[in-house]
Amino acid sequence: MVLRMSRLLLKTLRDAPADAETTSHKLLVRAGYVRRTSAGVWSWLPLGKRVLDNVARVVREEMDAIGGQEMQLPMLLPREAYEATGRAAEYGDLLFQLKDRKGTDYVLGPTHEEVFTQLVKDQCTSYKDLPLILYQIQTKYRDEARPRSGVLRGREFQMKDAYSFDLTDEGLDEAYRLHRAAYVRIFERLGLDYRIVSAISGAMGGSASEEFLAPAAAGEDTFADCPACDYAANTEAVTFTAAPADAAGHGPVEELDTPDTPTIEALAALLRVPASATLKNLLVRIDGEITAVGVPGDREVDLGKLAEHLAPATVELVTAEYFAGRPDLVRGYVGPQGLGIRYLADPRIAAGTAWITGANKSGRHAANVVCGRDFDVDQYLDVVTVEAGDPCPRCGTGLTLDRAIEIGHIFQLGRLYTDAFQVDVLDRDGKPVRPTMGCYGIGVSRAVAALAEQTADERGLCWPREIAPAEVHVVAAGKAAQSELAEEAATRLEAAGVRVLLDDRAGVSPGVKFTDAELLGVPTILIAGRRAAESVVELKDRRTGTREELPLAEALERLAR
Ligand code: ATP
Ligand code: MG
């Protein structure tokens, strides 16, 4: 069926919504693809739904090609399952929760590891039942704190989530490799510019994990990219290794009178030393236990990274009230020497390095405090925020930092969930074996926005052919002969298997039609205009803007699949 603009539920807008900040948010609303229903909750209008379905179709085809079996699990799920794995607490306020009439607790699924694992426990008994790749393309719910950027970050959104179940670690490696290759094909077909970066595994635990990122200014993720080698990683996953220094040659510890210097800036200014020569010690409580975290004075502690390293332990910053009850801990003047509490440090605080740090006395600091001589590090942890210019862990070149949108994520989960639900199948000898899992997500609705971000120009959206709501946008300039030719073009294109959007609106000026065509972003625009009487049409490439006049028959031949 030719999609007719005369009947389409579509109101293009001249102005973007006042609160829209990103290109995709502005354009998807202006072009009538999506409409906000409530904060972070979007309705997909006919053109948007077509694009969304096209993305889902590509994802489905490539998942099927690696042997994935599509399913559909409920979105309304008993909270109990998410309590069994501790994820109800981990997700916290992100989880949408509700009760049924009997008072039983439910959640709206944020992702489905628990339910798939329970289903496999229920259905699989023998090694013969595995391996499995199960997936769904479905609505997910997360009560995001600041749902911004339109469909890039919704509270209700479409995700493809897949789960692999294998008997052996080699099996899991293979499933992971298959998904990675499928993702490469999916993002190539979608026409997205993307990078694969190593990631840490977030709230899920597990070992190998990579993210697929679409570089875009509107992205909320930062990734580190090496200009010299192929290293790329989420900044949270960048590691740093320091070589031990030679401790010889450092003088003895020297206590300095440094009044009113509780901050690194004040200290560095007073002593006229760079902040990098000082050692900053942050006090936290890890599962309640007071712990100091040492980093160079010019660096920031990434609390997310710290929490990630220490999970499932909880990490809290030490409050002023807590300090009040601990006279041994002098706020602003803490140093690791003789401190008597657990000491974690960034690898830059290597053995043999000397620092200016707190003297554990108000208004006093100590210089020449040498790691391994004057204090010991209980555990090294990569916890500082990565900065541009930090060395590439692979080749040492200075890293660059770029913004990107996370469009996909693959994890090797291991036996985290099969342990939680005690899933076993019997092997050849009748002995129980615990399956190992992977999970693999793609933000289907987010991919639509990511594509819009990467392909739009100042005139509007600009879709790749496979994803576009139609392949050809036929515009009837207005006069009767033009309308007739446009109708003929649309009908014949459809007959040739080409998806067509026909602007057959009466009483709308050609100028408005052309502007709308640019905004909607169908890749090829066919205009029945000036020379319609001779059966000559104009073909316009939406992306390059190139125009060409040619007989309809020739145009049809060129556009046929
Ligand atoms: P983010 O860090 O952006 O919050 P996440 O790491 O929590 O995402 P996953 O649990 O890995 O997300 O979910 C798989 C995929 O689902 C993500 O890679 C992303 O593409 C998509 N996604 C996650 N949250 C949202 C959201 N609120 N709106 C749209 N898509 C989302
Ligand atoms: Mg993720």
Side-chain angles (χ1 to χ4, degrees), residues 30-31 39 51 79 82 115 127 237 241 293 295 314 346 381 407 508 560:
R30 281 190 53 214
V51 172
R79 185 185 152 94
Y82 289 79
V115 212
Y127 70 96
T241 328
V293 182
V295 300
T314 58
D346 178 73
L381 281 181
I407 44 175
V508 175

Side-chain angles (χ1 to χ4, degrees), residues 232-250:
N234 191 309
T235 46
E236 289 167 14
V238 175
T239 53
F240 178 84
T241 328
D246 187 2
H250 295 304

Side-chain angles (χ1 to χ4, degrees), residues 264 275 277-281 294-297 334 336 343 349 355-358 375:
I264 293 293
T278 69
L279 171 59
K280 172 156 84 180
N281 301 287
V295 300
V334 174
Y343 195 62
I349 319 301
W355 303 90
I356 299 169
T357 189
F375 68 95

Side-chain angles (χ1 to χ4, degrees), residues 211 406 409 411:
E211 287 172 350
E406 181 190 324
H409 201 161
F411 293 101

Side-chain angles (χ1 to χ4, degrees), residues 16-150:
D19 64 336
E21 286 168 13
T22 61
T23 305
S24 57
H25 185 179
K26 289 178 189 162
L27 289 178
L28 289 171
V29 172
R30 281 190 53 214
Y33 281 63
V34 299
R35 198 77 198 144
R36 181 182 174 279
T37 297
S38 65
V41 181
W42 294 87
S43 298
W44 292 78
L45 308 187
L47 291 182
K49 171 71 170 143
R50 286 184 164 224
V51 172
L52 186 66
D53 285 352
N54 286 339
V55 171
R57 177 175 43 76
V58 169
V59 171
R60 179 176 288 117
E61 284 171 7
E62 296 299 342
M63 285 304 298
D64 289 347
I66 59 165
Q69 304 178 49
E70 186 169 5
M71 310 177 41
Q72 187 169 316
L73 269 57
M75 300 165 209
L76 182 63
L77 299 162
R79 185 185 152 94
E80 219 179 10
Y82 289 79
E83 262 154 20
T85 56
R87 278 216 300 178
E90 227 160 294
Y91 271 122
D93 288 340
L94 214 58
L95 208 55
F96 271 106
Q97 317 208 29
L98 62 161
K99 282 184 194 297
D100 71 4
R101 62 172 76 207
K102 296 199 185 95
T104 311
D105 289 310
Y106 282 84
V107 302
L108 297 178
T111 161
H112 281 64
E113 282 74 10
E114 282 79 355
V115 212
F116 272 92
T117 309
Q118 288 178 314
L119 199 79
V120 165
K121 180 182 170 85
D122 173 54
Q123 298 277 306
C124 301
T125 51
S126 152
Y127 70 96
K128 292 180 195 150
D129 296 330
L130 301 184
L132 281 174
I133 294 175
L134 307 175
Y135 79 97
Q136 58 180 350
I137 296 175
Q138 192 222 35
T139 307
K140 295 280 187 276
Y141 293 88
R142 293 183 186 178
D143 195 356
E144 303 278 0
R146 293 178 305 280
R148 284 168 306 207
S149 322

